[in-house]
Amino acid sequence: MKFPVHLVRRLVLMIGGEAMQSGFHFALNLALLHMLSAQGYGLFALAMVMGGVGLSYIRSLTAVPASIWMSKSSNRAGVDAHDVAFGTAALVVALLMAAGTAILMHLLGDPSGIAAGCFVGAWSLRSHMRTAFFTRRQQVVVSISDAAFTIAGTVLTGLAIWFATDVLQTVFYALAAANLFGIFVLVRLAGRRVRVSFRMPTRRRYTRLWRQLCWSAFSATTTNIQGQSLALLVAGIAGPAAYAPLAAVLVLFAPLRIISLAFVNMTQPELAKLMQANETRRVWAQAKIWSLVMGLGGLAYGCAIMFVLPMIKSQALQDASVGFIGLFVIANFVPIMLYIMPRIVLEIFGDFRIVAFITMGGAIVGLALIAILLAVASPPWALLGSAVSETFVLVASWYFAHHRMWNIEHPDQQRYSRLGSWRRAVTFAAAKR
């Protein structure tokens, strides 16, 4: 198989934009880590967690389906129609996430809950629009928009940190404004009108896909429970201050999530087109190659972070053993990098129900182990339960993706296998009678 050089070029371009955002978020976290108390930094980290939840719902309910169905559309009218339908749904999801974040942060004792909600809502909406423009192959425009967001975010949060009396609240408003500015630049440079429609044809187009999307929504819920149960349980049982040391180490691994998101945005439309052309062997070969690359890259990145961890000093760390936490975080992120490709394959097939059951199993395992570990050990040990959960998702994702590909490549053997099983069952029943 010829190595997909064009995908490498696209990945480099896309990661450039993601790297700017990742570097900005990383620098902001370090700055706030040294300025806020453990309670304040814990609340900021939880707002970032809610942002991750918003991105996952946007990805499952609007961005990924839009990427798949827009790529499969045979004409421009179909692409535009799906763009409007999924864009309208993304606006609704973003508003719901903003309201949910504001309520949750208020319940956790954060007076700046509304500001946090604005940030999460704007971030979620920009995430969907980036994916939609990636699907339209406007990567350069998206990269420029990412640069605009990064510059605006750096300036606005810098001013907030230096001059604001309530740093946390002002930083949230600054991040919301930076995301909205990124959306503005994206739309202006693309030269496209952003259309939102709640008319019956748009609603019918979206609801027609709901049988698959409802499983995607369920999958997003179980994914969030499985992926964010650590933060929610530690903060809910031990308090935001106890979560602060874990968050301080986890944030150092945030670039891996950013890179993985860029990778999904790049490969999913391409693989969907290959699958539409019945190029299943190429899809499976690329899945294995890229999984190996991402797994080794995640491991190398984790080893590099282990050298940086001893240099970080902050009151939010509360004298925690950052090296111990770092090893468990690596055990969490390497499986995540390894199961991205089989999950993409399952989503391209529309097997959202299988993905939902996989993540539900991971959520059950994670919740049980994290709760047990929090009851008998210190909060850092909860990362072990999360690592076991991610490993469960890794094994199950590869098993079902391999099974799905085998059934497509060997339809005759699958049919004969089922026929043989049926004949054996009939023979056994007759003998029993």
Side-chain angles (χ1 to χ4, degrees):
M1 184 195 72
K2 185 179 178 181
F3 191 78
V5 179
H6 69 290
L7 289 184
V8 175
R9 287 197 294 265
R10 289 185 63 195
L11 181 61
V12 171
L13 180 62
M14 295 166 74
I15 287 182
E18 298 288 359
M20 288 185 287
Q21 300 177 84
S22 177
F24 164 62
H25 285 142
F26 180 74
L28 179 61
N29 270 276
L30 288 182
L32 294 178
L33 183 63
H34 290 87
M35 292 192 63
L36 299 176
S37 64
Q39 176 77 9
Y41 185 76
L43 288 171
F44 174 76
L46 288 172
M48 296 297 290
V49 168
M50 289 304 297
V53 171
L55 295 186
S56 69
Y57 274 110
I58 283 288
R59 179 181 181 277
S60 298
L61 291 176
T62 65
V64 168
S67 176
I68 293 173
W69 272 283
M70 286 171 67
S71 298
K72 291 181 178 180
S73 297
S74 57
N75 54 64
R76 184 172 180 178
V79 172
D80 292 339
H82 282 113
D83 195 6
V84 172
F86 288 112
T88 304
L91 177 62
V92 174
V93 174
L95 292 174
L96 291 176
M97 283 305 308
T101 301
I103 294 171
L104 177 64
M105 297 296 286
H106 179 74
L107 293 176
L108 290 173
D110 181 12
S112 58
I114 295 178
C118 292
F119 158 56
V120 171
W123 191 13
S124 301
L125 184 59
R126 190 171 74 89
S127 175
H128 169 83
M129 295 184 67
R130 293 178 74 254
T131 303
F133 281 94
F134 274 134
T135 305
R136 290 182 179 272
R137 297 181 178 273
Q138 294 183 300
Q139 293 89 358
V140 175
V141 172
V142 175
S143 296
I144 296 174
S145 170
D146 291 339
F149 159 76
T150 303
I151 295 171
T154 302
V155 173
L156 293 176
T157 55
L159 292 173
I161 290 173
W162 281 105
F163 297 107
T165 53
D166 188 343
V167 173
L168 187 60
Q169 182 179 30
T170 312
V171 164
F172 283 143
Y173 279 127
L175 289 172
N179 276 286
L180 292 176
F181 182 69
I183 292 174
F184 171 77
V185 172
L186 181 63
V187 174
R188 289 285 295 180
L189 291 180
R192 301 189 60 84
R193 289 177 53 194
V194 177
R195 295 177 55 199
V196 175
S197 173
F198 293 95
R199 298 172 62 185
M200 182 59 70
T202 303
R203 297 201 305 270
R204 190 181 299 118
R205 183 173 294 107
Y206 188 81
T207 54
R208 200 163 41 230
L209 305 171
W210 186 244
R211 286 192 62 182
Q212 290 175 289
L213 293 179
C214 67
W215 284 108
S216 185
F218 181 67
S219 173
T221 303
T222 54
T223 298
N224 285 319
I225 294 173
Q226 181 253 334
Q228 311 297 347
S229 57
L230 173 71
L232 299 178
L233 284 177
V234 172
I237 295 175
Y243 178 64
L246 308 186
V249 178
L250 284 167
V251 74
L252 299 177
F253 288 80
L256 291 180
R257 289 193 182 275
I258 299 296
I259 291 173
S260 66
L261 181 60
F263 188 82
V264 170
N265 289 335
M266 177 197 71
T267 57
Q268 200 147 37
E270 294 287 338
L271 296 183
K273 289 183 177 180
L274 288 177
M275 195 67 71
Q276 188 77 1
N278 294 320
E279 295 280 355
T280 55
R281 291 184 181 275
R282 289 182 61 188
V283 170
W284 192 234
Q286 289 191 24
K288 291 186 285 188
I289 291 173
W290 286 115
S291 290
L292 180 62
V293 171
M294 296 184 73
L296 292 176
L299 182 60
Y301 181 88
C303 293
I305 290 296
M306 291 298 292
F307 288 100
V308 178
L309 283 176
M311 306 176 189
I312 300 176
K313 306 294 181 183
S314 170
Q315 58 179 342
L317 293 177
Q318 299 179 330
D319 299 323
S321 176
V322 291
F324 179 72
I325 296 173
L327 288 174
F328 278 145
V329 174
I330 293 174
N332 274 264
F333 271 90
V334 171
I336 290 174
M337 302 301 284
L338 288 172
Y339 69 63
I340 288 172
M341 286 310 303
R343 179 160 181 164
I344 288 176
V345 170
L346 290 172
E347 287 175 343
I348 289 173
F349 282 121
D351 291 335
F352 297 109
R353 180 167 56 180
I354 293 177
V355 175
F357 283 128
I358 291 172
T359 52
M360 182 176 67
I364 294 171
V365 171
L367 283 171
L369 289 178
I370 292 172
I372 292 171
L373 290 168
L374 283 173
V376 301
S378 59
W381 280 97
L383 287 164
L384 176 61
S386 180
V388 174
S389 173
E390 300 291 3
T391 303
F392 174 89
V393 174
L394 167 65
V395 174
S397 297
W398 275 106
Y399 171 79
F400 283 105
H402 179 269
H403 183 70
R404 190 74 160 85
M405 295 295 291
W406 190 91
N407 286 342
I408 290 178
E409 292 182 356
H410 305 86
D412 295 335
Q413 294 184 34
Q414 181 189 14
R415 183 172 65 252
Y416 292 145
S417 176
R418 289 178 177 174
L419 182 60
S421 299
W422 178 77
R423 284 175 174 171
R424 285 193 296 271
V426 172
T427 303
F428 175 76
K432 193 173 181 182
R433 286 195 297 270

